[in-house]
């Protein structure tokens, strides 16, 4: 697939998702970057901002096998992964696959379940496989997790462990729509009865797993120059030396930021990465990997503003 073909594919996906989702263009663009870069995405926002519906519309447009897990406090790891059940007719154990065996998994309200259950996703997100009773089972090569969560200040939630957060390429904050967008939402959906599905709104598949694999392979045509790679490393390392941060970003964050920058360049039709690609993605890549110091929390420091400061302080290549 050429970069021009990739750009056309992205435009088609945006057009299909827009049939169901009003506004949220930035969210859709970031999901496209995550899909091309083969990363996982965490969506955070208040209830009722169409996080789940966005994931469903995105999956429908991609033509991927969709799976959904509604995370609850009593959910167990076996409810996600599946289990080996003994078949008395054959006297053998048979694998009953859980909902994680799909191509695009919606982990809905992931912070409603305890960390023990959240950890069931770790191996799947990192290595695209799961281990049950000592036996390894491969997941589809296009496996992607889109997780949603309500803000941590809501009641009845469990903070995601750092190891879990580090598996996500992006953490995207879903905002409320502006007044004009909200008026269109009410006009379009206010008279509809019952649950809504993307297909009911005309969303159809414009891709499939093979097409998306070709799209990811097209990233090999994008050049990441040495000075841009060095810029990524210096930016990430600056998070580990900042006085207001007790935990900085990991080397995995640097690798993911570089890969996402290549995907953004490709979606823009360029075969080279520029510093603006890195700057545009630094906040969604880093915001969930950093921990403020107690003093910074008392002072009310904002992580997004802090990352913006680091971008300004880190000299970008010309």
């Amino acid at each position: 697939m050429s970069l021009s073909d990739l750009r056309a594919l992205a435009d088609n996906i945006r057009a299909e998702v827009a049939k169901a989702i009003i506004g949220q263009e930035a969210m859709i663009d970031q999901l496209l970057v995550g899909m091309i870069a083969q990363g996982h995405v965490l969506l955070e926002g208040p209830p009722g901002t169409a996080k789940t519906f966005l994931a469903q519309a995105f999956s429908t447009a991609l033509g991927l096998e969709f799976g959904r897990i509604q995370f609850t406090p009593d959910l167990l790891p076996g409810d996600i992964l599946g289990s080996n059940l003994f078949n008395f007719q054959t006297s053998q154990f048979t694998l009953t696959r859980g909902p994680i065996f799909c191509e695009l998994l919606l982990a809905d309200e992931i912070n409603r379940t305890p960390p023990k259950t959240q950890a069931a996703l770790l191996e799947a997100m990192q290595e695209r496989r799961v281990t049950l009773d000592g036996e390894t089972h491969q997941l589809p090569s296009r496996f992607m997790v889109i997780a949603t969560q309500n803000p941590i200040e809501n009641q009845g939630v469990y903070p995601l462990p750092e190891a879990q957060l580090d598996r996500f390429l992006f953490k995207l904050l879903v905002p409320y729509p502006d007044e004009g967008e909200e008026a269109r939402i009410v006009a379009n959906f206010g008279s509809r009865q019952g649950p809504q599905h993307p297909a009911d709104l005309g969303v159809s598949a414009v891709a499939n797993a093979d097409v998306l694999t070709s799209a990811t392979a097209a990233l090999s045509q994008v050049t990441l120059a040495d000075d841009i790679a060095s810029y990524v490393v210096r930016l990430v390392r600056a998070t580990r030396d900042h006085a207001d941060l007790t935990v900085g970003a990991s080397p995995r964050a640097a690798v993911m930021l570089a890969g996402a920058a290549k995907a953004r360049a490709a979606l823009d039709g360029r075969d080279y990465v520029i510093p603006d690609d890195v700057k545009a993605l630094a906040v969604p890549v880093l915001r969930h990997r950093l921990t403020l110091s107690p003093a910074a929390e008392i002072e009310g420091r904002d992580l997004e503003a802090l990352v913006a400061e680091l971008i300004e302080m880190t000299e970008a290549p010309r």
Side-chain angles (χ1 to χ4, degrees):
M1 179 180 292
S2 66
L3 293 182
S4 60
D5 292 335
L6 174 56
R7 191 171 185 179
L9 173 64
D11 289 340
N12 290 336
I13 294 172
R14 291 188 187 99
E16 289 300 314
V17 176
K19 294 177 181 178
I21 301 297
I22 296 174
Q24 297 193 12
E25 288 85 0
M27 297 291 113
I28 297 170
D29 285 344
Q30 301 284 29
L31 285 174
L32 281 169
V33 171
M35 179 269 294
I36 297 296
Q38 290 193 287
H40 310 290
V41 179
L42 175 63
L43 303 177
E44 179 179 289
T49 49
K51 300 184 297 296
T52 299
F53 199 49
L54 173 60
Q56 291 174 333
F58 189 67
S59 174
T60 301
L62 295 181
L64 297 178
E65 181 188 356
F66 182 73
R68 176 176 177 174
I69 302 173
Q70 187 67 46
F71 282 78
T72 57
D74 59 348
L75 198 71
L76 298 174
D79 298 326
I80 298 173
L81 305 178
S83 59
N84 285 309
L85 300 179
F86 187 75
N87 188 325
F88 288 95
Q89 294 180 340
T90 62
S91 298
Q92 293 180 336
F93 283 94
T94 303
L95 173 64
T96 301
R97 297 191 170 198
I100 199 172
F101 286 89
C102 62
E103 292 175 320
L104 194 151
L105 176 68
L106 170 60
D108 208 10
E109 295 191 324
I110 190 173
N111 59 338
R112 293 288 179 187
T113 199
K116 175 183 177 180
T117 305
Q118 293 172 8
L121 291 174
L122 288 176
E123 182 183 15
M125 293 175 67
Q126 182 64 26
E127 303 177 35
R128 288 175 171 78
R129 67 181 188 183
V130 297
T131 301
L132 291 169
D133 296 334
E135 185 177 355
T136 299
H137 305 273
Q138 294 295 326
L139 294 172
S141 59
R142 295 303 316 176
F143 179 73
M144 177 182 182
V145 174
I146 298 179
T148 69
Q149 69 173 17
N150 295 325
I152 203 64
E153 59 265 26
N154 287 3
Q155 294 183 353
V157 296
Y158 300 84
L160 269 67
E162 286 77 5
Q164 181 82 53
L165 288 170
D166 203 40
R167 262 66 172 187
F168 286 100
L169 171 61
F170 293 143
K171 178 182 177 182
L172 305 179
L173 304 183
V174 182
Y176 286 115
D178 61 35
E179 186 174 354
E181 292 171 345
E182 194 161 1
R184 290 169 55 200
I185 292 171
V186 173
N188 286 4
F189 296 96
S191 61
R192 295 179 180 269
Q193 302 296 323
Q196 303 298 319
H197 302 284
D200 299 335
L201 300 170
V203 181
S204 59
V206 293
N208 54 46
D210 292 337
V211 170
L212 298 179
T213 299
S214 297
T216 297
L219 294 186
S220 62
Q221 304 171 41
V222 180
T223 300
L224 180 70
D226 291 342
D227 57 348
I228 299 293
S230 177
Y231 175 55
V232 171
V233 170
R234 286 186 284 112
L235 180 59
V236 169
R237 291 181 66 86
T239 66
R240 304 172 198 162
D241 301 324
H242 199 285
D244 288 340
L245 295 173
T246 56
V247 177
S250 67
R252 182 190 285 131
V255 172
M256 287 186 167
L257 180 54
K262 290 183 66 174
R264 185 178 188 271
L267 289 170
D268 201 34
R270 286 181 280 106
D271 62 356
Y272 56 91
V273 179
I274 60 176
D276 284 350
D277 294 323
V278 178
K279 294 178 181 179
L281 300 176
V283 170
V285 169
L286 297 177
R287 63 158 56 104
H288 55 295
R289 294 180 161 91
L290 308 178
T291 303
L292 288 172
S293 67
E297 288 186 354
I298 292 174
E299 294 173 2
R301 291 299 306 271
D302 181 75
L303 274 175
E304 284 77 8
L306 195 150
V307 173
E309 289 178 12
L310 291 174
I311 293 173
E312 290 296 322
M313 294 166 51
T314 307
E315 184 178 359
R318 301 180 179 225

